[in-house]
Amino acid sequence: MSLRTAQRASLVDQVIDQLKEQITSGSWPMNGKIPTETVLAEQLGVGRNTVREAVRALTHAGLLECRQGDGTYVRATSELSGAMLRRLRQAEQLEILEVRRALEVESARLAATRRTDDDIKRIEAALAERDRAWELDDPDFFVEADLAFHMAVAHATHNLVLIDLYEDFSAALRASITAAGTSLNKSYIPHDAIARAIASGDAAAAERAGHACMEHILIALTES
């Protein structure tokens, strides 16, 4: 996606909108470094001060992070996820896991009643990838694979607000999954029951399976 030369009116707002578009469209990937202030000013046809103000505004909103002597990186894809990330940095791990339990249990229940054949295929593929990641004993791969499984379940709810909320919560979920793995001392928590219940359309069983998985993690965390 190419940047357009900004018009004179409301230059900072226009630049903010264009930079935000680069972030939300994925042109600037999550955790990736954005172009330098000089490059952006040239591409947009504005002064460096205008770019600096726009970057500062997006940094305040939580979408960007300026690292002294290194550059500016994408930290979130929306104001909501940026605000949530800032708030969750101050939260206790137990608090994050309790919210995660609420989201995942409800996601499993709704997915069982609304899933399509394609949803089932995506969930089963994500489950297989999660199992493979565990067998490879690759912690980073497992965190991403586990999160991908839960995202597949969330998408199967077809509730756009829940999906957006889960995606915005994903940064904190990465941290909680990693912490859970440490607390559980590498004890594996199967997710097959969740996938089976969703595939069979059994909402009650899906809710129970999701709740059982999260209770396992919460108990281990409080006892560690």
Side-chain angles (χ1 to χ4, degrees):
M1 180 179 294
S2 60
L3 294 170
R4 303 181 301 276
T5 300
Q7 302 301 311
R8 298 305 301 173
S10 306
L11 279 178
V12 174
D13 288 341
Q14 290 185 53
V15 172
I16 288 172
D17 288 342
Q18 291 206 60
L19 300 189
K20 193 184 298 183
E21 187 178 357
Q22 299 296 303
I23 295 168
T24 58
S25 68
S27 295
W28 291 346
M30 196 67 159
N31 299 316
K33 184 188 290 189
I34 73 170
T36 65
E37 190 178 278
T38 301
V39 170
L40 289 174
E42 182 178 343
Q43 290 181 333
L44 291 159
V46 299
R48 290 178 60 182
N49 285 341
T50 301
V51 172
R52 191 175 300 125
E53 286 185 50
V55 169
R56 187 181 297 122
L58 291 174
T59 299
H60 182 71
L63 276 70
L64 297 176
E65 177 186 9
C66 294
R67 301 178 187 173
Q68 192 66 33
D70 185 10
T72 302
Y73 290 78
V74 176
R75 295 294 291 130
T77 56
S78 71
E79 285 88 347
L80 175 59
S81 59
M84 189 175 293
L85 189 58
R86 288 197 305 275
R87 176 61 186 88
L88 293 176
R89 285 188 187 127
Q90 305 167 24
E92 297 292 334
Q93 195 63 45
L94 179 60
E95 294 175 321
I96 294 173
L97 284 169
E98 287 172 345
V99 175
R100 180 184 168 194
R101 173 177 59 184
L103 286 173
E104 292 187 0
V105 171
E106 182 63 9
S107 291
R109 187 186 71 81
L110 289 176
T113 64
R114 301 175 180 177
R115 84 286 182 273
T116 64
D117 289 343
D118 285 341
D119 290 326
I120 293 172
K121 290 176 184 176
R122 280 190 287 268
I123 290 171
E124 290 175 346
L127 179 64
E129 190 74 350
R130 182 180 185 273
D131 291 341
R132 188 170 76 88
W134 183 264
E135 291 171 0
L136 291 173
D137 195 23
D138 184 333
D140 291 337
F141 180 23
F142 180 76
V143 167
E144 293 303 319
D146 186 80
L147 186 54
F149 171 82
H150 292 291
M151 278 303 313
V153 172
H155 277 278
T157 69
H158 298 277
N159 180 317
L160 298 182
V161 174
L162 190 153
I163 293 168
D164 285 346
L165 183 59
Y166 201 92
E167 288 179 341
D168 288 334
F169 200 58
S170 63
L173 290 184
R174 284 181 174 86
S176 76
I177 293 168
T178 301
T182 301
S183 300
L184 293 169
N185 195 25
K186 295 197 173 183
S187 170
Y188 186 59
I189 303 176
H191 284 15
D192 305 65
I194 299 174
R196 284 198 304 270
I198 291 172
S200 65
D202 190 334
E207 184 175 0
R208 287 194 302 271
H211 190 271
C213 287
M214 289 308 303
E215 282 301 301
H216 192 165
I217 295 173
L218 284 162
I219 291 171
L221 182 65
T222 55
E223 291 179 348
S224 61

